Amino acid sequence: MFLERVPIAFARQHKLLGLASDNEHLQVAITTLASLPQMRVVGRFLGVPVRPVLASGKNVATAINTAYQQRTGTAQTFIEKLDRQEVFGELANLDLNEDLLDDGGRAPVIKLVNLILFEAM
């Protein structure tokens, strides 16, 4: 749940990572108590109560990199699930001078580009 919905940039910036979830709480590794507000934001965003687990900065950074790297293949899975007619229709309607990032209605295309860039890195 955490890895699918929380961008790696947010996790790295705030040095937090979802660890394990029981039926009631999501454990989130944080490096300092100053990260508690961001941890609560993640909990509200995910719709689950969160419980902090303090860890060293180095361990959290390593865990973030490892966890997100294990998501390889996500772009391919996303591509396979795409409705190709919808994507081709969107591409046909593009204005050549239009900035894709300025139009929230093109979320599938933006998500695809982000996944491709993530896997390339």
Side-chain angles (χ1 to χ4, degrees):
M1 170 189 341
F2 184 93
L3 296 177
E4 290 82 22
R5 299 202 42 215
V6 177
I8 190 171
F10 184 88
R12 283 180 175 159
Q13 178 182 358
H14 299 292
K15 297 180 179 77
L16 49 84
L17 178 65
L19 298 175
S21 179
D22 56 24
N23 291 334
E24 297 179 20
H25 295 91
L26 171 66
Q27 293 181 344
V28 177
I30 59 175
T31 60
T32 176
L33 294 178
S35 297
L36 285 175
Q38 289 82 15
M39 183 193 73
R40 290 186 184 113
V41 167
V42 167
R44 284 192 302 271
F45 175 70
L46 297 177
V48 295
V50 291
R51 185 173 288 157
V53 175
L54 285 175
S56 75
K58 183 178 180 182
N59 287 343
V60 171
T62 301
I64 289 170
N65 290 334
T66 302
Y68 281 90
Q69 282 176 356
Q70 290 176 354
R71 289 182 35 194
T72 58
T74 305
Q76 184 61 38
T77 303
F78 183 75
I79 290 168
E80 290 168 3
K81 290 181 182 179
L82 277 178
D83 179 357
R84 284 172 172 62
Q85 294 293 26
E86 179 184 346
V87 172
F88 290 138
E90 288 291 323
L91 292 174
N93 292 330
L94 283 178
D95 177 4
L96 294 178
N97 296 322
E98 184 177 356
D99 184 357
L100 284 177
L101 297 178
D102 288 341
D103 188 358
R106 307 217 193 284
V109 174
I110 294 170
K111 185 174 182 179
L112 174 61
V113 170
N114 287 342
L115 288 170
I116 291 170
L117 292 174
F118 176 76
E119 286 198 17
M121 289 181 4

